[in-house]
Amino acid sequence: MTLTRPVPVPDEQSAPYWEATARHELRIARCSQCGSFAVPPDQVCPRCGTTVPAFSFEPVSGRGRVRSWTVMRQSFLPGFEEDVPFVLVDVELVEQAELRIIGKLLDGPEAVVRVGDPVTVAFEDLVPGVSIPAFEIAAGS
Ligand SMILES: [Zn+2]
């Protein structure tokens, strides 16, 4: 197998996130001051404005609802040519309003997806030790 897709390169800020996804675990940065989650974590908490958020990465359920979606038919990044077409979903996690993650829907390009559909996180293994979050339509939806 040759991998042509770009692989995320963790920096100091995002390293705990990628370490968790490698274990197929979704952890989101949470502000130590106000307890709100932030994606991506920044120098300033978007909720309370503290400049010392001291984010810790806490596990979340991985459950959410589709806010919007699109079918990607063209590859805008080198390395994704073999993946198109695929459905990209914008998901609001159940933990917090406006806590959104965008990911590939693993149900295939023909999947019937509607705004509001429940989804659960799943993980795509890119190379050993590197996995990225994606989503699957939740059973029984
Ligand atoms: Zn905060």
Side-chain angles (χ1 to χ4, degrees):
M1 177 189 121
T2 53
L3 181 92
T4 52
R5 279 172 59 172
V7 170
V9 179
D11 57 20
E12 195 182 327
Q13 187 89 292
S14 65
Y17 178 83
W18 295 115
E19 285 164 15
T21 61
R23 299 189 303 266
H24 288 199
E25 194 182 347
L26 187 61
R27 286 178 176 259
I28 304 287
R30 191 168 201 181
C31 174
S32 64
Q33 303 294 319
C34 71
S36 69
F37 291 100
V39 177
D42 205 341
Q43 302 299 322
V44 177
C45 173
R47 178 66 57 90
C48 72
T50 179
T51 54
V52 282
F55 286 114
S56 62
F57 284 76
E58 298 194 6
V60 293
S61 65
R63 292 183 292 114
R65 289 192 180 272
V66 174
R67 284 183 52 122
S68 68
W69 58 275
T70 185
V71 180
M72 302 297 285
R73 299 191 184 279
Q74 277 186 304
S75 177
F76 296 102
L77 285 170
F80 287 89
E81 292 87 354
E82 289 173 18
D83 284 10
V84 294
F86 64 90
V87 177
L88 198 65
V89 285
D90 176 353
V91 173
E92 181 177 276
L93 298 178
V94 295
E95 275 77 12
Q96 182 179 304
E98 299 298 324
L99 183 65
R100 291 158 71 177
I101 291 187
I102 292 171
K104 182 177 171 181
L105 189 72
L106 300 182
D107 298 75
E110 306 302 326
V112 176
V113 56
R114 292 152 305 212
V115 170
D117 277 353
V119 291
T120 54
V121 76
F123 293 89
E124 271 193 289
D125 299 321
L126 297 189
V127 292
V130 181
S131 303
I132 58 171
F135 289 95
E136 290 174 336
I137 296 172
S141 67

PDB file of all heavy atoms in Angstrom, residues 7-45:
ATOM      1  N   VAL A   7      -0.440  13.371   5.879  1.00  0.00           N
ATOM      2  CA  VAL A   7      -0.598  12.866   7.238  1.00  0.00           C
ATOM      3  C   VAL A   7      -0.469  14.053   8.196  1.00  0.00           C
ATOM      4  O   VAL A   7       0.407  14.896   8.016  1.00  0.00           O
ATOM      5  CB  VAL A   7       0.485  11.807   7.528  1.00  0.00           C
ATOM      6  CG1 VAL A   7       0.517  11.422   8.995  1.00  0.00           C
ATOM      7  CG2 VAL A   7       0.261  10.583   6.659  1.00  0.00           C
ATOM      8  N   PRO A   8      -1.370  14.138   9.179  1.00  0.00           N
ATOM      9  CA  PRO A   8      -1.267  15.263  10.103  1.00  0.00           C
ATOM     10  C   PRO A   8       0.062  15.264  10.852  1.00  0.00           C
ATOM     11  O   PRO A   8       0.565  14.210  11.237  1.00  0.00           O
ATOM     12  CB  PRO A   8      -2.433  15.055  11.075  1.00  0.00           C
ATOM     13  CG  PRO A   8      -2.884  13.653  10.879  1.00  0.00           C
ATOM     14  CD  PRO A   8      -2.475  13.244   9.496  1.00  0.00           C
ATOM     15  N   VAL A   9       0.613  16.424  11.004  1.00  0.00           N
ATOM     16  CA  VAL A   9       1.865  16.560  11.738  1.00  0.00           C
ATOM     17  C   VAL A   9       1.549  17.276  13.048  1.00  0.00           C
ATOM     18  O   VAL A   9       1.265  18.470  13.047  1.00  0.00           O
ATOM     19  CB  VAL A   9       2.908  17.354  10.932  1.00  0.00           C
ATOM     20  CG1 VAL A   9       4.195  17.492  11.738  1.00  0.00           C
ATOM     21  CG2 VAL A   9       3.181  16.671   9.593  1.00  0.00           C
ATOM     22  N   PRO A  10       1.547  16.530  14.158  1.00  0.00           N
ATOM     23  CA  PRO A  10       1.192  17.165  15.434  1.00  0.00           C
ATOM     24  C   PRO A  10       2.210  18.213  15.838  1.00  0.00           C
ATOM     25  O   PRO A  10       3.413  18.051  15.615  1.00  0.00           O
ATOM     26  CB  PRO A  10       1.214  15.994  16.428  1.00  0.00           C
ATOM     27  CG  PRO A  10       1.214  14.761  15.595  1.00  0.00           C
ATOM     28  CD  PRO A  10       1.849  15.118  14.298  1.00  0.00           C
ATOM     29  N   ASP A  11       1.718  19.299  16.395  1.00  0.00           N
ATOM     30  CA  ASP A  11       2.616  20.248  17.039  1.00  0.00           C
ATOM     31  C   ASP A  11       2.391  20.113  18.552  1.00  0.00           C
ATOM     32  O   ASP A  11       1.619  19.269  19.004  1.00  0.00           O
ATOM     33  CB  ASP A  11       2.387  21.676  16.542  1.00  0.00           C
ATOM     34  CG  ASP A  11       0.956  22.139  16.745  1.00  0.00           C
ATOM     35  OD1 ASP A  11       0.231  21.545  17.586  1.00  0.00           O
ATOM     36  OD2 ASP A  11       0.550  23.093  16.068  1.00  0.00           O
ATOM     37  N   GLU A  12       3.055  20.956  19.307  1.00  0.00           N
ATOM     38  CA  GLU A  12       2.977  20.841  20.757  1.00  0.00           C
ATOM     39  C   GLU A  12       1.537  20.961  21.258  1.00  0.00           C
ATOM     40  O   GLU A  12       1.099  20.246  22.139  1.00  0.00           O
ATOM     41  CB  GLU A  12       3.845  21.934  21.387  1.00  0.00           C
ATOM     42  CG  GLU A  12       4.144  21.715  22.852  1.00  0.00           C
ATOM     43  CD  GLU A  12       4.976  22.866  23.425  1.00  0.00           C
ATOM     44  OE1 GLU A  12       5.789  23.424  22.671  1.00  0.00           O
ATOM     45  OE2 GLU A  12       4.768  23.178  24.592  1.00  0.00           O
ATOM     46  N   GLN A  13       0.799  21.863  20.609  1.00  0.00           N
ATOM     47  CA  GLN A  13      -0.579  22.135  21.010  1.00  0.00           C
ATOM     48  C   GLN A  13      -1.519  20.970  20.692  1.00  0.00           C
ATOM     49  O   GLN A  13      -2.417  20.665  21.455  1.00  0.00           O
ATOM     50  CB  GLN A  13      -1.062  23.398  20.278  1.00  0.00           C
ATOM     51  CG  GLN A  13      -2.422  23.888  20.721  1.00  0.00           C
ATOM     52  CD  GLN A  13      -2.313  24.858  21.883  1.00  0.00           C
ATOM     53  OE1 GLN A  13      -1.949  24.479  22.979  1.00  0.00           O
ATOM     54  NE2 GLN A  13      -2.624  26.097  21.638  1.00  0.00           N
ATOM     55  N   SER A  14      -1.303  20.332  19.545  1.00  0.00           N
ATOM     56  CA  SER A  14      -2.247  19.312  19.101  1.00  0.00           C
ATOM     57  C   SER A  14      -1.778  17.893  19.383  1.00  0.00           C
ATOM     58  O   SER A  14      -2.508  16.940  19.130  1.00  0.00           O
ATOM     59  CB  SER A  14      -2.514  19.468  17.596  1.00  0.00           C
ATOM     60  OG  SER A  14      -1.342  19.213  16.851  1.00  0.00           O
ATOM     61  N   ALA A  15      -0.572  17.729  19.908  1.00  0.00           N
ATOM     62  CA  ALA A  15      -0.028  16.383  20.125  1.00  0.00           C
ATOM     63  C   ALA A  15      -0.959  15.477  20.937  1.00  0.00           C
ATOM     64  O   ALA A  15      -1.178  14.329  20.551  1.00  0.00           O
ATOM     65  CB  ALA A  15       1.347  16.469  20.769  1.00  0.00           C
ATOM     66  N   PRO A  16      -1.545  15.958  22.056  1.00  0.00           N
ATOM     67  CA  PRO A  16      -2.422  15.057  22.820  1.00  0.00           C
ATOM     68  C   PRO A  16      -3.651  14.604  22.031  1.00  0.00           C
ATOM     69  O   PRO A  16      -4.151  13.494  22.226  1.00  0.00           O
ATOM     70  CB  PRO A  16      -2.845  15.911  24.027  1.00  0.00           C
ATOM     71  CG  PRO A  16      -1.822  17.001  24.112  1.00  0.00           C
ATOM     72  CD  PRO A  16      -1.393  17.267  22.701  1.00  0.00           C
ATOM     73  N   TYR A  17      -4.120  15.479  21.139  1.00  0.00           N
ATOM     74  CA  TYR A  17      -5.263  15.141  20.294  1.00  0.00           C
ATOM     75  C   TYR A  17      -4.919  13.972  19.383  1.00  0.00           C
ATOM     76  O   TYR A  17      -5.648  12.980  19.310  1.00  0.00           O
ATOM     77  CB  TYR A  17      -5.645  16.378  19.470  1.00  0.00           C
ATOM     78  CG  TYR A  17      -6.780  16.178  18.508  1.00  0.00           C
ATOM     79  CD1 TYR A  17      -8.100  16.268  18.935  1.00  0.00           C
ATOM     80  CD2 TYR A  17      -6.536  15.928  17.154  1.00  0.00           C
ATOM     81  CE1 TYR A  17      -9.146  16.102  18.048  1.00  0.00           C
ATOM     82  CE2 TYR A  17      -7.578  15.761  16.261  1.00  0.00           C
ATOM     83  CZ  TYR A  17      -8.875  15.854  16.705  1.00  0.00           C
ATOM     84  OH  TYR A  17      -9.911  15.689  15.824  1.00  0.00           O
ATOM     85  N   TRP A  18      -3.775  14.080  18.701  1.00  0.00           N
ATOM     86  CA  TRP A  18      -3.384  13.034  17.756  1.00  0.00           C
ATOM     87  C   TRP A  18      -2.955  11.750  18.466  1.00  0.00           C
ATOM     88  O   TRP A  18      -3.109  10.652  17.929  1.00  0.00           O
ATOM     89  CB  TRP A  18      -2.285  13.547  16.822  1.00  0.00           C
ATOM     90  CG  TRP A  18      -2.772  14.663  15.953  1.00  0.00           C
ATOM     91  CD1 TRP A  18      -2.356  15.959  15.966  1.00  0.00           C
ATOM     92  CD2 TRP A  18      -3.814  14.592  14.960  1.00  0.00           C
ATOM     93  NE1 TRP A  18      -3.073  16.686  15.045  1.00  0.00           N
ATOM     94  CE2 TRP A  18      -3.971  15.888  14.419  1.00  0.00           C
ATOM     95  CE3 TRP A  18      -4.624  13.556  14.487  1.00  0.00           C
ATOM     96  CZ2 TRP A  18      -4.903  16.170  13.421  1.00  0.00           C
ATOM     97  CZ3 TRP A  18      -5.553  13.843  13.499  1.00  0.00           C
ATOM     98  CH2 TRP A  18      -5.684  15.138  12.974  1.00  0.00           C
ATOM     99  N   GLU A  19      -2.402  11.876  19.672  1.00  0.00           N
ATOM    100  CA  GLU A  19      -2.067  10.672  20.441  1.00  0.00           C
ATOM    101  C   GLU A  19      -3.344   9.910  20.787  1.00  0.00           C
ATOM    102  O   GLU A  19      -3.374   8.682  20.783  1.00  0.00           O
ATOM    103  CB  GLU A  19      -1.330  11.061  21.728  1.00  0.00           C
ATOM    104  CG  GLU A  19       0.122  11.472  21.485  1.00  0.00           C
ATOM    105  CD  GLU A  19       0.742  12.220  22.666  1.00  0.00           C
ATOM    106  OE1 GLU A  19       0.161  12.179  23.772  1.00  0.00           O
ATOM    107  OE2 GLU A  19       1.786  12.848  22.457  1.00  0.00           O
ATOM    108  N   ALA A  20      -4.408  10.661  21.084  1.00  0.00           N
ATOM    109  CA  ALA A  20      -5.682  10.015  21.414  1.00  0.00           C
ATOM    110  C   ALA A  20      -6.308   9.379  20.174  1.00  0.00           C
ATOM    111  O   ALA A  20      -6.767   8.234  20.224  1.00  0.00           O
ATOM    112  CB  ALA A  20      -6.646  11.031  22.035  1.00  0.00           C
ATOM    113  N   THR A  21      -6.318  10.100  19.038  1.00  0.00           N
ATOM    114  CA  THR A  21      -6.936   9.522  17.841  1.00  0.00           C
ATOM    115  C   THR A  21      -6.182   8.270  17.396  1.00  0.00           C
ATOM    116  O   THR A  21      -6.781   7.344  16.861  1.00  0.00           O
ATOM    117  CB  THR A  21      -7.017  10.528  16.671  1.00  0.00           C
ATOM    118  OG1 THR A  21      -5.699  10.951  16.302  1.00  0.00           O
ATOM    119  CG2 THR A  21      -7.872  11.729  17.033  1.00  0.00           C
ATOM    120  N   ALA A  22      -4.880   8.230  17.631  1.00  0.00           N
ATOM    121  CA  ALA A  22      -4.104   7.036  17.286  1.00  0.00           C
ATOM    122  C   ALA A  22      -4.605   5.826  18.068  1.00  0.00           C
ATOM    123  O   ALA A  22      -4.505   4.691  17.608  1.00  0.00           O
ATOM    124  CB  ALA A  22      -2.621   7.268  17.560  1.00  0.00           C
ATOM    125  N   ARG A  23      -5.163   6.083  19.261  1.00  0.00           N
ATOM    126  CA  ARG A  23      -5.769   5.008  20.074  1.00  0.00           C
ATOM    127  C   ARG A  23      -7.254   4.866  19.782  1.00  0.00           C
ATOM    128  O   ARG A  23      -7.971   4.194  20.509  1.00  0.00           O
ATOM    129  CB  ARG A  23      -5.571   5.311  21.567  1.00  0.00           C
ATOM    130  CG  ARG A  23      -4.127   5.389  22.019  1.00  0.00           C
ATOM    131  CD  ARG A  23      -4.050   5.462  23.553  1.00  0.00           C
ATOM    132  NE  ARG A  23      -4.800   6.589  24.090  1.00  0.00           N
ATOM    133  CZ  ARG A  23      -4.269   7.791  24.366  1.00  0.00           C
ATOM    134  NH1 ARG A  23      -2.999   8.007  24.149  1.00  0.00           N
ATOM    135  NH2 ARG A  23      -5.017   8.752  24.855  1.00  0.00           N
ATOM    136  N   HIS A  24      -7.727   5.542  18.744  1.00  0.00           N
ATOM    137  CA  HIS A  24      -9.155   5.556  18.386  1.00  0.00           C
ATOM    138  C   HIS A  24     -10.006   6.105  19.522  1.00  0.00           C
ATOM    139  O   HIS A  24     -11.034   5.553  19.897  1.00  0.00           O
ATOM    140  CB  HIS A  24      -9.632   4.172  17.944  1.00  0.00           C
ATOM    141  CG  HIS A  24      -9.106   3.789  16.592  1.00  0.00           C
ATOM    142  ND1 HIS A  24      -9.662   2.812  15.821  1.00  0.00           N
ATOM    143  CD2 HIS A  24      -8.068   4.286  15.874  1.00  0.00           C
ATOM    144  CE1 HIS A  24      -8.977   2.715  14.666  1.00  0.00           C
ATOM    145  NE2 HIS A  24      -7.995   3.597  14.701  1.00  0.00           N
ATOM    146  N   GLU A  25      -9.530   7.181  20.042  1.00  0.00           N
ATOM    147  CA  GLU A  25     -10.201   7.856  21.141  1.00  0.00           C
ATOM    148  C   GLU A  25     -10.277   9.332  20.765  1.00  0.00           C
ATOM    149  O   GLU A  25      -9.292   9.915  20.323  1.00  0.00           O
ATOM    150  CB  GLU A  25      -9.347   7.678  22.398  1.00  0.00           C
ATOM    151  CG  GLU A  25     -10.025   8.010  23.688  1.00  0.00           C
ATOM    152  CD  GLU A  25      -9.056   7.828  24.869  1.00  0.00           C
ATOM    153  OE1 GLU A  25      -7.973   7.233  24.695  1.00  0.00           O
ATOM    154  OE2 GLU A  25      -9.390   8.314  25.942  1.00  0.00           O
ATOM    155  N   LEU A  26     -11.468   9.915  20.927  1.00  0.00           N
ATOM    156  CA  LEU A  26     -11.613  11.333  20.607  1.00  0.00           C
ATOM    157  C   LEU A  26     -11.526  12.132  21.900  1.00  0.00           C
ATOM    158  O   LEU A  26     -12.328  11.952  22.826  1.00  0.00           O
ATOM    159  CB  LEU A  26     -12.961  11.582  19.915  1.00  0.00           C
ATOM    160  CG  LEU A  26     -13.171  13.005  19.367  1.00  0.00           C
ATOM    161  CD1 LEU A  26     -12.127  13.349  18.306  1.00  0.00           C
ATOM    162  CD2 LEU A  26     -14.578  13.155  18.807  1.00  0.00           C
ATOM    163  N   ARG A  27     -10.516  12.967  21.961  1.00  0.00           N
ATOM    164  CA  ARG A  27     -10.327  13.858  23.109  1.00  0.00           C
ATOM    165  C   ARG A  27     -10.311  15.280  22.590  1.00  0.00           C
ATOM    166  O   ARG A  27      -9.651  15.573  21.602  1.00  0.00           O
ATOM    167  CB  ARG A  27      -9.012  13.555  23.845  1.00  0.00           C
ATOM    168  CG  ARG A  27      -9.066  12.281  24.668  1.00  0.00           C
ATOM    169  CD  ARG A  27      -7.724  11.993  25.328  1.00  0.00           C
ATOM    170  NE  ARG A  27      -7.823  10.828  26.193  1.00  0.00           N
ATOM    171  CZ  ARG A  27      -7.946  10.882  27.525  1.00  0.00           C
ATOM    172  NH1 ARG A  27      -7.930  12.050  28.137  1.00  0.00           N
ATOM    173  NH2 ARG A  27      -8.066   9.784  28.247  1.00  0.00           N
ATOM    174  N   ILE A  28     -11.023  16.142  23.295  1.00  0.00           N
ATOM    175  CA  ILE A  28     -11.140  17.527  22.859  1.00  0.00           C
ATOM    176  C   ILE A  28     -10.571  18.431  23.952  1.00  0.00           C
ATOM    177  O   ILE A  28     -10.764  18.177  25.146  1.00  0.00           O
ATOM    178  CB  ILE A  28     -12.625  17.901  22.602  1.00  0.00           C
ATOM    179  CG1 ILE A  28     -13.269  16.942  21.593  1.00  0.00           C
ATOM    180  CG2 ILE A  28     -12.742  19.354  22.138  1.00  0.00           C
ATOM    181  CD1 ILE A  28     -12.821  17.122  20.170  1.00  0.00           C
ATOM    182  N   ALA A  29      -9.891  19.488  23.506  1.00  0.00           N
ATOM    183  CA  ALA A  29      -9.299  20.438  24.444  1.00  0.00           C
ATOM    184  C   ALA A  29     -10.395  21.127  25.251  1.00  0.00           C
ATOM    185  O   ALA A  29     -11.376  21.621  24.696  1.00  0.00           O
ATOM    186  CB  ALA A  29      -8.477  21.467  23.682  1.00  0.00           C
ATOM    187  N   ARG A  30     -10.217  21.142  26.569  1.00  0.00           N
ATOM    188  CA  ARG A  30     -11.204  21.736  27.445  1.00  0.00           C
ATOM    189  C   ARG A  30     -10.514  22.797  28.296  1.00  0.00           C
ATOM    190  O   ARG A  30      -9.484  22.535  28.924  1.00  0.00           O
ATOM    191  CB  ARG A  30     -11.814  20.660  28.332  1.00  0.00           C
ATOM    192  CG  ARG A  30     -13.038  21.134  29.082  1.00  0.00           C
ATOM    193  CD  ARG A  30     -13.756  19.964  29.709  1.00  0.00           C
ATOM    194  NE  ARG A  30     -15.139  20.312  29.981  1.00  0.00           N
ATOM    195  CZ  ARG A  30     -16.021  19.499  30.540  1.00  0.00           C
ATOM    196  NH1 ARG A  30     -15.652  18.274  30.871  1.00  0.00           N
ATOM    197  NH2 ARG A  30     -17.254  19.893  30.756  1.00  0.00           N
ATOM    198  N   CYS A  31     -11.122  23.976  28.343  1.00  0.00           N
ATOM    199  CA  CYS A  31     -10.553  25.098  29.079  1.00  0.00           C
ATOM    200  C   CYS A  31     -10.585  24.810  30.577  1.00  0.00           C
ATOM    201  O   CYS A  31     -11.610  24.401  31.121  1.00  0.00           O
ATOM    202  CB  CYS A  31     -11.349  26.364  28.763  1.00  0.00           C
ATOM    203  SG  CYS A  31     -10.857  27.795  29.735  1.00  0.00           S
ATOM    204  N   SER A  32      -9.447  25.042  31.217  1.00  0.00           N
ATOM    205  CA  SER A  32      -9.373  24.776  32.656  1.00  0.00           C
ATOM    206  C   SER A  32     -10.111  25.850  33.459  1.00  0.00           C
ATOM    207  O   SER A  32     -10.421  25.645  34.628  1.00  0.00           O
ATOM    208  CB  SER A  32      -7.908  24.730  33.097  1.00  0.00           C
ATOM    209  OG  SER A  32      -7.307  26.002  32.894  1.00  0.00           O
ATOM    210  N   GLN A  33     -10.391  26.987  32.826  1.00  0.00           N
ATOM    211  CA  GLN A  33     -11.048  28.077  33.549  1.00  0.00           C
ATOM    212  C   GLN A  33     -12.573  27.944  33.526  1.00  0.00           C
ATOM    213  O   GLN A  33     -13.225  28.080  34.552  1.00  0.00           O
ATOM    214  CB  GLN A  33     -10.654  29.438  32.945  1.00  0.00           C
ATOM    215  CG  GLN A  33      -9.153  29.689  32.917  1.00  0.00           C
ATOM    216  CD  GLN A  33      -8.543  29.800  34.305  1.00  0.00           C
ATOM    217  OE1 GLN A  33      -9.113  30.409  35.193  1.00  0.00           O
ATOM    218  NE2 GLN A  33      -7.391  29.192  34.494  1.00  0.00           N
ATOM    219  N   CYS A  34     -13.138  27.708  32.332  1.00  0.00           N
ATOM    220  CA  CYS A  34     -14.606  27.702  32.227  1.00  0.00           C
ATOM    221  C   CYS A  34     -15.173  26.335  31.875  1.00  0.00           C
ATOM    222  O   CYS A  34     -16.375  26.142  31.886  1.00  0.00           O
ATOM    223  CB  CYS A  34     -15.069  28.742  31.208  1.00  0.00           C
ATOM    224  SG  CYS A  34     -14.695  28.298  29.501  1.00  0.00           S
ATOM    225  N   GLY A  35     -14.293  25.378  31.543  1.00  0.00           N
ATOM    226  CA  GLY A  35     -14.765  24.021  31.270  1.00  0.00           C
ATOM    227  C   GLY A  35     -15.349  23.817  29.890  1.00  0.00           C
ATOM    228  O   GLY A  35     -15.887  22.755  29.608  1.00  0.00           O
ATOM    229  N   SER A  36     -15.258  24.818  29.015  1.00  0.00           N
ATOM    230  CA  SER A  36     -15.815  24.628  27.681  1.00  0.00           C
ATOM    231  C   SER A  36     -14.778  24.006  26.756  1.00  0.00           C
ATOM    232  O   SER A  36     -13.570  24.192  26.919  1.00  0.00           O
ATOM    233  CB  SER A  36     -16.329  25.956  27.122  1.00  0.00           C
ATOM    234  OG  SER A  36     -15.253  26.818  26.844  1.00  0.00           O
ATOM    235  N   PHE A  37     -15.295  23.259  25.797  1.00  0.00           N
ATOM    236  CA  PHE A  37     -14.430  22.611  24.810  1.00  0.00           C
ATOM    237  C   PHE A  37     -14.109  23.585  23.685  1.00  0.00           C
ATOM    238  O   PHE A  37     -14.919  24.468  23.368  1.00  0.00           O
ATOM    239  CB  PHE A  37     -15.138  21.388  24.225  1.00  0.00           C
ATOM    240  CG  PHE A  37     -15.315  20.262  25.199  1.00  0.00           C
ATOM    241  CD1 PHE A  37     -16.535  20.062  25.832  1.00  0.00           C
ATOM    242  CD2 PHE A  37     -14.273  19.400  25.477  1.00  0.00           C
ATOM    243  CE1 PHE A  37     -16.712  19.011  26.731  1.00  0.00           C
ATOM    244  CE2 PHE A  37     -14.436  18.345  26.369  1.00  0.00           C
ATOM    245  CZ  PHE A  37     -15.658  18.153  27.001  1.00  0.00           C
ATOM    246  N   ALA A  38     -12.964  23.419  23.081  1.00  0.00           N
ATOM    247  CA  ALA A  38     -12.561  24.282  21.977  1.00  0.00           C
ATOM    248  C   ALA A  38     -11.892  23.465  20.883  1.00  0.00           C
ATOM    249  O   ALA A  38     -11.026  22.648  21.150  1.00  0.00           O
ATOM    250  CB  ALA A  38     -11.605  25.361  22.467  1.00  0.00           C
ATOM    251  N   VAL A  39     -12.349  23.662  19.651  1.00  0.00           N
ATOM    252  CA  VAL A  39     -11.736  23.016  18.478  1.00  0.00           C
ATOM    253  C   VAL A  39     -11.456  24.089  17.443  1.00  0.00           C
ATOM    254  O   VAL A  39     -12.386  24.727  16.974  1.00  0.00           O
ATOM    255  CB  VAL A  39     -12.672  21.957  17.852  1.00  0.00           C
ATOM    256  CG1 VAL A  39     -12.031  21.377  16.596  1.00  0.00           C
ATOM    257  CG2 VAL A  39     -12.992  20.856  18.828  1.00  0.00           C
ATOM    258  N   PRO A  40     -10.253  24.303  17.033  1.00  0.00           N
ATOM    259  CA  PRO A  40      -9.038  23.788  17.680  1.00  0.00           C
ATOM    260  C   PRO A  40      -8.688  24.653  18.880  1.00  0.00           C
ATOM    261  O   PRO A  40      -9.160  25.791  18.971  1.00  0.00           O
ATOM    262  CB  PRO A  40      -7.992  23.947  16.575  1.00  0.00           C
ATOM    263  CG  PRO A  40      -8.448  25.155  15.813  1.00  0.00           C
ATOM    264  CD  PRO A  40      -9.947  25.148  15.876  1.00  0.00           C
ATOM    265  N   PRO A  41      -7.900  24.147  19.802  1.00  0.00           N
ATOM    266  CA  PRO A  41      -7.518  24.979  20.935  1.00  0.00           C
ATOM    267  C   PRO A  41      -6.636  26.129  20.480  1.00  0.00           C
ATOM    268  O   PRO A  41      -5.813  25.967  19.592  1.00  0.00           O
ATOM    269  CB  PRO A  41      -6.740  24.019  21.838  1.00  0.00           C
ATOM    270  CG  PRO A  41      -6.248  22.952  20.919  1.00  0.00           C
ATOM    271  CD  PRO A  41      -7.273  22.823  19.836  1.00  0.00           C
ATOM    272  N   ASP A  42      -6.849  27.270  21.046  1.00  0.00           N
ATOM    273  CA  ASP A  42      -6.095  28.461  20.665  1.00  0.00           C
ATOM    274  C   ASP A  42      -5.385  28.999  21.907  1.00  0.00           C
ATOM    275  O   ASP A  42      -5.486  28.436  22.996  1.00  0.00           O
ATOM    276  CB  ASP A  42      -7.070  29.503  20.103  1.00  0.00           C
ATOM    277  CG  ASP A  42      -6.375  30.460  19.148  1.00  0.00           C
ATOM    278  OD1 ASP A  42      -5.125  30.554  19.198  1.00  0.00           O
ATOM    279  OD2 ASP A  42      -7.077  31.114  18.367  1.00  0.00           O
ATOM    280  N   GLN A  43      -4.706  30.104  21.744  1.00  0.00           N
ATOM    281  CA  GLN A  43      -4.023  30.702  22.892  1.00  0.00           C
ATOM    282  C   GLN A  43      -5.021  31.330  23.856  1.00  0.00           C
ATOM    283  O   GLN A  43      -4.722  31.524  25.032  1.00  0.00           O
ATOM    284  CB  GLN A  43      -3.036  31.773  22.420  1.00  0.00           C
ATOM    285  CG  GLN A  43      -1.978  31.275  21.445  1.00  0.00           C
ATOM    286  CD  GLN A  43      -1.108  30.190  22.041  1.00  0.00           C
ATOM    287  OE1 GLN A  43      -0.765  30.238  23.209  1.00  0.00           O
ATOM    288  NE2 GLN A  43      -0.774  29.184  21.244  1.00  0.00           N
ATOM    289  N   VAL A  44      -6.194  31.653  23.311  1.00  0.00           N
ATOM    290  CA  VAL A  44      -7.231  32.296  24.103  1.00  0.00           C
ATOM    291  C   VAL A  44      -8.468  31.414  24.039  1.00  0.00           C
ATOM    292  O   VAL A  44      -8.833  30.910  22.980  1.00  0.00           O
ATOM    293  CB  VAL A  44      -7.553  33.701  23.534  1.00  0.00           C
ATOM    294  CG1 VAL A  44      -8.692  34.348  24.299  1.00  0.00           C
ATOM    295  CG2 VAL A  44      -6.308  34.579  23.565  1.00  0.00           C
ATOM    296  N   CYS A  45      -9.135  31.225  25.177  1.00  0.00           N
ATOM    297  CA  CYS A  45     -10.367  30.432  25.171  1.00  0.00           C
ATOM    298  C   CYS A  45     -11.465  31.215  24.451  1.00  0.00           C
ATOM    299  O   CYS A  45     -11.743  32.355  24.812  1.00  0.00           O
ATOM    300  CB  CYS A  45     -10.804  30.123  26.594  1.00  0.00           C
ATOM    301  SG  CYS A  45     -12.422  29.320  26.666  1.00  0.00           S
TER     302      CYS A  45
END
